[in-house]
Amino acid sequence: MIHKKLLKLETELNGCFMEREEIVRGLLVTAVAKGNLLILGAPGAAKTAIAEALSKQLSGKFFSRLLTKVSAPEELFGPLSLKALENDQYKRVTVGKLPEADLAVIDEVFKCNSAVLNTLLPIMNERVYFDDSSTPKPIPLQVLVGLSNELPDGGVNGELAALWDRFDLKYTVAYVKDERNFATMLKLSTNKPSTTISLQELQSAQQQAEQVNISDDTINALVRLWKELKSQGFLISDRRFRNSLRFLKAHAWFEGRVQVAEDDISILSNMLWTEPDQIKLTKKIVMGFANPLTVKANEIFDGAFELSAKLKETPDGSERTAMAAEANHKFKAAQKMLDGLLKQAKSEGKATAKIIERLAQLKEMNENVVNTYLLGI
Ligand SMILES: Nc1ncnc2c1ncn2[C@@H]1O[C@H](COP(=O)(O)OP(=O)(O)OP(=O)(O)O)[C@@H](O)[C@H]1O
Ligand SMILES: [Mg+2]
């Protein structure tokens, strides 16, 4: 029941936000894995809108705050209790603040000074709050979303490295790319989904995901992935690898599996990079582990795409006609290879959606080449 509801919410969110499928899935997986997610990107790319849209559909106490350079601890944790001070105790009135929230969105999360931000560390990692600076108090926080236009001052390995590392999933957003999606975005009447999820339902999803099994094969794949990323010079904290298990389980649960499968490893492409310039390579390596067939399909498609781009740049003439004939020949061969990959993926029970999409794109590209450069239609 809760599984279906969360999938429905996912579809609704994807209908409200264009080209945000990965982030939507990431947010829902983070809620089920009880984690922390960061969205980085240019202004006006729906970072706040998407984080708040999800938070409002999950019933529970919601805390949201935009940080600035001058934000003080009370903005996040509440004012000092005067009553407690009278008794020589240092306590905060946390009502309506982060320590009592089930869901939290912290906007411009790296803007604030590091002294305040460092108080977030135990909240994010251990889900505890140090009320009087010595006794940790468990907090109900289910999901924390951080948003930012920019990287932390001093870089991701600087003063705020520990905070950066506590964001389990990290996404960068760009503006809408596709023309049709852009038109749809302009016509959207609402950014508000209708399905709501109660706190009990979310907790039941978390418990079900916790039961998902991780086989020795998956552990071995993670060890190989760890080695591969290390050999590329990536320094990834052990915490992130430990936490990755929760995210793999949550992802598998979303896919309706009782055991983590190869495909679930794809979620780690947003978990295992540290520097933004590692994003592309991390994705490539992780996807190679998650679904080697999709990676092959992408490579075949990219080769064909390059050829089609070259044709576009070539002036009209016999040279272009010869190139088009060769491209047509190569595209047909590429189609055959993709057909083969699709068959293999089906027989091995692997993900086929991306291969099918690439096949359709390739067919369209080939038709274009034949019509434009060979038939002159
Ligand atoms: N991909 C998208 N799909 C649908 N709506 C979008 C999309 N991108 C932007 N919007 C619209 O733009 C509005 C502005 O987005 P929002 O304020 O969330 O941006 P932001 O990324 O948080 O920017 P900032 O960094 O300035 O805070 C959203 O409320 C939404 O209506
Ligand atoms: Mg914003």
Side-chain angles (χ1 to χ4, degrees):
M1 179 68 185
I2 173 60
H3 186 248
K4 264 202 184 140
K5 270 185 96 175
L6 276 172
L7 287 180
K8 187 157 176 273
L9 178 58
E10 179 173 38
T11 309
E12 289 171 4
L13 282 164
N14 284 330
C16 294
F17 296 98
M18 296 296 104
E19 299 185 11
R20 295 289 176 269
E21 292 84 357
E22 263 197 276
I23 294 183
V24 165
R25 172 52 71 98
L27 280 165
L28 293 169
V29 166
T30 303
V32 172
K34 255 184 124 171
N36 312 307
L37 177 145
L38 178 73
I39 312 176
L40 265 177
K47 298 186 297 295
T48 305
I50 206 165
E52 296 208 342
L54 172 71
S55 303
K56 286 178 183 159
Q57 298 316 111
L58 302 175
S59 67
K61 286 185 195 152
F62 175 50
F63 173 80
S64 148
R65 174 64 59 173
L66 177 89
L67 296 183
T68 68
K69 279 198 178 81
V70 293
S71 291
E74 39 268 43
E75 290 183 31
L76 290 175
F77 310 113
L80 281 176
S81 159
L82 296 178
K83 240 191 201 159
L85 277 179
E86 274 173 18
N87 298 325
D88 282 345
Q89 280 179 327
Y90 187 86
K91 273 197 169 135
R92 290 185 182 276
V93 183
T94 53
V95 180
K97 300 293 179 186
L98 184 55
E100 298 197 11
D102 299 299
L103 319 143
V105 175
I106 303 188
D107 220 333
E108 303 302 347
V109 62
F110 303 121
K111 279 260 164 68
C112 194
N113 63 74
S114 57
V116 173
L117 289 180
N118 283 332
T119 54
L120 282 176
L121 300 182
I123 290 203
M124 291 172 77
N125 203 42
E126 288 87 13
R127 296 296 204 240
V128 296
Y129 168 62
F130 283 87
D131 190 14
D132 55 6
S133 70
S134 59
T135 339
K137 241 173 91 177
I139 53 167
L141 189 63
Q142 307 295 315
V143 50
L144 181 137
V145 181
L147 310 172
S148 182
N149 287 150
E150 54 203 23
L151 297 172
D153 260 354
V156 300
N157 294 313
E159 219 181 340
L160 295 178
L163 181 70
W164 181 255
D165 198 55
R166 277 165 173 76
F167 284 106
D168 303 299
L169 287 177
K170 298 185 188 78
Y171 291 85
T172 53
V173 272
Y175 297 131
V176 170
K177 289 199 178 83
D178 182 89
E179 199 177 304
R180 278 168 290 190
N181 292 339
F182 185 71
T184 309
M185 180 189 78
L186 296 180
K187 287 190 274 184
L188 281 174
S189 56
T190 175
N191 282 136
K192 197 181 170 345
S194 59
T195 300
T196 54
I197 310 286
S198 73
L199 212 50
Q200 285 89 330
E201 284 175 315
L202 179 62
Q203 280 160 351
S204 129
Q206 290 166 346
Q207 281 155 13
Q208 288 173 25
E210 194 44 49
Q211 302 304 315
V212 170
N213 186 38
I214 297 190
S215 69
D216 283 347
D217 281 352
T218 302
I219 298 290
N220 290 338
L222 291 178
V223 172
R224 279 186 283 121
L225 179 60
W226 172 74
K227 275 197 199 151
E228 171 78 24
L229 290 167
K230 264 211 310 193
S231 75
Q232 297 287 341
F234 290 16
L235 197 64
I236 302 164
S237 73
D238 292 340
R239 166 180 38 230
R240 257 188 287 158
F241 265 102
R242 277 287 305 173
N243 284 357
S244 75
L245 302 179
R246 270 181 15 243
F247 283 77
L248 287 171
K249 286 179 174 192
H251 190 272
W253 179 83
F254 258 98
E255 294 295 320
R257 292 190 260 273
V258 291
Q259 169 148 317
V260 171
E262 235 178 16
D263 282 350
D264 298 314
I265 292 179
S266 60
I267 190 79
L268 303 189
S269 57
N270 290 92
M271 199 159 185
L272 299 178
W273 60 270
T274 307
E275 309 267 358
D277 64 5
Q278 296 170 336
I279 295 176
K280 242 183 156 174
L281 185 57
T282 307
K283 194 161 210 146
K284 192 168 173 230
I285 294 173
V286 169
M287 291 315 285
F289 277 83
N291 199 335
L293 298 179
T294 300
V295 174
K296 256 194 212 155
N298 283 339
E299 279 169 6
I300 293 170
F301 177 81
D302 289 347
F305 185 81
E306 251 175 54
L307 208 59
S308 136
K310 247 195 206 159
L311 259 173
K312 268 189 199 144
E313 285 165 12
T314 310
D316 194 2
S318 57
E319 192 195 338
R320 192 176 72 178
T321 311
M323 254 177 90
E326 193 193 326
N328 175 234
H329 187 69
K330 285 191 173 158
F331 287 1
K332 279 187 187 155
Q335 238 165 273
K336 265 198 189 139
M337 285 194 270
L338 286 183
D339 276 329
L341 288 181
L342 184 60
K343 253 192 211 146
Q344 189 183 343
K346 276 184 184 158
S347 73
E348 291 174 6
K350 299 226 168 103
T352 54
K354 205 78 204 169
I355 306 177
I356 292 172
E357 192 186 320
R358 289 311 196 195
L359 249 173
Q361 286 171 319
L362 187 69
K363 273 185 192 155
E364 197 182 321
M365 224 157 64
N366 197 18
E367 266 168 36
N368 236 341
V369 165
V370 172
N371 290 340
T372 317
Y373 306 111
L374 295 176
L375 300 177
I377 297 172

